Amino acid sequence: MPLAGKRILLVISGGIAAYKSLDLIRRLRERGAEVRPVMTAGAREFVTPLAVGALSAGHVYTDLFSREDEQDVGHIRLARDCDLVVVAPATADLMAKMAHGLADDLASTVLLATDRPVLLAPAMNPKMWAHPATRRNVETLRRDGLSFVGPNAGEMAEGGEAGLGRMAEPLEIVAAAEGLLDGGQRPLAGRRAIVTSGPTHEPIDPVRYIANRSSGRQGHAIAAALARLGADVTLVSGPVALPDPPGVRVVRVERAEEMLRAVLAALPADIAVMVAAVADWHVAAPGAEKIKKQPGKGPPPLMLAENPDILKTVGHHEQRPKVVVGFAAETQDVEKNGRVKLEKKGADLIVANDVSPQTGIMGGTRNSVKLITAAGVEEWPDLSKDDVARRLADWIAGRLT
Ligand SMILES: Cc1cc2nc3c(=O)[nH]c(=O)nc-3n(C[C@H](O)[C@H](O)[C@H](O)COP(=O)(O)O)c2cc1C
């Protein structure tokens, strides 16, 4: 019962994903949590307080000016008498109100009055999520120290539209809540980390690019693991089909050049973990227009030029983070190449893995790595990428404390 004895205030706002909150209540309770629900007027248009009350086995709080509710616990106590506040779904509207400190109903008043950690699970149409106003509000809330889980990419419940905006699944929200409630295990609190993840796309022309098979799973898992230990994480990600890890600031880029700029912009930091499979080369002169087939002339020549070495730049930077970790994806002489990289790149640790196609590591969910430091080589067993991430985050925390 990982959430035994934990009291969770669940704020449900008015999005279509409110139906998933019913399952979320079940999932939280089956892990031992006590769930106290607060519903906005909008939420009550989607699911009834009767259903929410039946699943949470308790009172459902809806009105700011209800004499009974005020006599029962009162909005200030409601805001504080819990270990964690979860907002699921978090509508664009409620997040806008929170970002501006509005408090015109019970949910927004409680969110302004609470001094507990707050976890938001946004859910909305992709256009609403991408709107500059929502982007600003999310950034403000992150800066205010609130944590996020999702949204995920996929088809919207209304059907027809797909994109980033689906609420995280109840079990993902539970995992994020557990991470936040881990209690005291935040050795990286106050530390800043930069993680890169995914492949880069180097354009040939406006429609074609050179890429690689990196899925971003390992980098994203490391960003999440560092955030769980309390670090303030900036994840610079190439194009991937993964949800944003909870509690992490994500900067999306395509080319190696852009990735370097984003990494340098995120300095100073205490930790840099360069996991992205950055292309070594880009096309020297990408076509401004789509390159046409020219019958009889054969294929066009592709001149390549070298990309910046992001790990080496960070490893030798005047604002070099205290711990610099690089990943070395190799298909031969994994250990030897890892050692050479350690020195050349100015890294404290090279995590070397054999990405030969038969290992299934590139794009897969498991990883078997060797840790190469000045002190020697440590081989880890075959692990899930999440477990590699957890162990690596612990290793980094150990170096810093
Ligand atoms: C059918 C329908 C579905 C909606 N789904 C969402 C949604 O998923 N996310 C969202 O932010 N707003 C959604 N809205 C708009 C919100 O309900 C509206 O902004 C409302 O004022 C939110 O109130 P609240 O934030 O106080 O709960 C939807 C509206 C309708 C009519």
Side-chain angles (χ1 to χ4, degrees):
M1 298 277 258
L3 292 176
K6 298 291 181 198
R7 296 158 311 158
I8 293 180
L9 188 74
L10 174 64
V11 177
I12 308 175
S13 57
I16 194 98
Y19 78 93
K20 288 197 205 168
S21 318
L22 299 177
D23 190 32
L24 176 61
I25 295 172
R26 275 189 51 223
R27 302 294 187 181
L28 290 168
R29 291 193 66 216
E30 71 193 14
R31 281 163 177 74
E34 181 195 311
V35 180
R36 214 177 227 181
V38 172
M39 298 178 78
T40 66
R44 283 176 272 146
E45 296 290 332
F46 293 91
V47 289
T48 65
L50 187 63
V52 171
L55 284 162
S56 60
H59 188 75
V60 179
Y61 297 84
T62 52
D63 293 317
L64 181 57
F65 302 113
S66 148
R67 204 155 62 87
E68 296 86 78
D69 285 3
E70 271 303 300
Q71 271 169 359
D72 182 14
V73 272
H75 66 279
I76 299 294
R77 246 186 72 203
L78 193 59
R80 313 241 171 103
D81 238 6
C82 59
D83 300 292
L84 174 71
V85 182
V86 176
V87 188
T91 56
D93 171 67
L94 184 55
M95 291 196 301
K97 283 163 65 173
M98 292 170 74
H100 291 87
L102 299 186
D104 64 353
D105 64 1
L106 182 63
S108 50
T109 303
V110 158
L111 285 160
L112 194 60
T114 193
D115 55 2
R116 306 284 131 172
V118 177
L119 174 67
L120 295 161
M124 68 198 67
N125 175 279
K127 295 272 188 311
M128 290 170 83
W129 176 251
H131 194 284
T134 307
R135 310 270 21 95
R136 279 196 301 276
N137 294 333
V138 168
E139 190 50 36
T140 301
L141 294 171
R142 274 195 210 286
R143 261 189 273 126
D144 289 347
L146 279 66
S147 300
F148 283 80
V149 51
N152 294 347
E155 193 145 325
M156 298 297 109
E158 300 100 301
E161 251 183 284
L164 208 57
R166 267 172 72 101
M167 186 169 90
E169 294 306 318
L171 285 178
E172 286 176 71
I173 300 174
V174 169
E178 284 174 3
L180 284 172
L181 287 167
D182 241 349
Q185 299 286 37
R186 295 168 75 77
L188 294 178
R191 303 285 193 179
R192 285 169 58 97
I194 309 170
V195 180
T196 64
S197 182
T200 61
H201 284 185
E202 307 296 338
I204 295 172
D205 65 23
V207 296
R208 306 180 180 98
Y209 55 83
I210 299 174
N212 59 62
R213 294 184 195 281
S214 166
S215 66
R217 282 201 187 99
Q218 187 63 84
H220 276 53
I222 290 168
L226 291 169
R228 272 197 302 272
L229 295 191
D232 173 2
V233 182
T234 300
L235 172 64
V236 182
S237 175
V240 295
L242 294 174
D244 291 352
V248 164
R249 185 180 311 102
V250 182
V251 181
R252 290 184 182 76
V253 299
E254 291 213 345
R255 296 177 293 112
E257 188 72 50
E258 290 169 349
M259 187 171 273
L260 174 65
R261 250 184 281 135
V263 166
L264 295 181
L267 286 172
D270 304 284
I271 303 159
V273 190
M274 306 287 97
V275 196
V278 183
D280 290 320
W281 309 283
H282 65 272
V283 176
E289 304 290 341
K290 184 179 170 215
I291 301 168
K292 290 265 181 228
K293 250 197 208 171
Q294 296 204 325
K297 285 203 169 165
L302 272 189
M303 282 294 294
L304 299 179
E306 215 158 283
N307 269 335
D309 187 328
I310 301 176
L311 174 59
K312 195 170 166 188
T313 308
V314 172
H316 293 96
H317 199 274
E318 58 180 16
Q319 290 183 303
R320 182 190 187 279
K322 287 185 197 77
V323 179
V324 175
V325 179
F327 268 63
E330 305 285 353
T331 55
Q332 52 194 344
D333 293 335
V334 175
E335 212 171 298
K336 193 174 122 226
N337 289 335
R339 279 182 187 286
V340 172
K341 268 197 176 171
L342 184 71
E343 249 181 55
K344 261 202 344 216
K345 314 269 174 161
D348 301 291
L349 166 67
I350 291 288
V351 183
N353 52 13
D354 182 350
V355 293
S356 312
Q358 67 274 16
T359 66
I361 287 174
M362 200 104 172
T365 56
R366 303 193 68 77
N367 208 352
S368 56
V369 301
K370 287 182 178 160
L371 269 68
I372 301 169
T373 60
V377 180
E378 183 183 332
E379 189 162 352
W380 284 356
D382 173 62
L383 295 167
S384 73
K385 287 184 176 173
D386 283 338
D387 284 337
V388 169
R390 264 190 286 275
R391 288 176 68 151
L392 187 62
D394 287 341
W395 186 95
I396 291 168
R399 284 285 281 218
L400 281 170
T401 47

